[in-house]
Amino acid sequence: MLWSIIVGGVIGLIAGSITKKGGSMGVIANIVAGLVGSSVGQSLLGTWGPSLAGMALFPSIIGAVIVVAVVSFFLGKKA
């Protein structure tokens, strides 16, 4: 379980840096984005590519990017 949390955090960190929203997200948000994004990505794209801690990395990163983009769109600051 700890390994899944670490891998989910790394996936969330990668997704945050891809979308340029990583600076505004905290550690917990990165972990949640990585874990939720992993579920979204694997359900949409399957489990192809290398796998780590039961998560297919490429679909998980793509799913986390989608999750971060959608959440930042709805919760983004109105300037």
Side-chain angles (χ1 to χ4, degrees):
M1 181 164 168
L2 180 62
W3 187 241
S4 296
I5 291 171
I6 292 170
V7 172
V10 171
I11 290 171
L13 182 68
I14 292 170
S17 65
I18 289 173
T19 59
K20 307 287 192 257
K21 304 289 183 197
S24 63
M25 293 173 51
V27 175
I28 302 297
N30 279 334
I31 293 171
V32 171
L35 294 174
V36 173
S38 176
S39 297
V40 170
Q42 289 184 40
S43 64
L44 291 176
L45 303 172
T47 57
W48 53 273
S51 180
L52 193 60
M55 296 179 231
L57 295 181
F58 296 128
S60 296
I61 292 171
I62 294 169
V65 167
I66 293 169
V67 168
V68 169
V70 168
V71 169
S72 66
F73 176 76
F74 285 112
L75 300 179
K77 296 179 182 174
K78 308 287 188 220

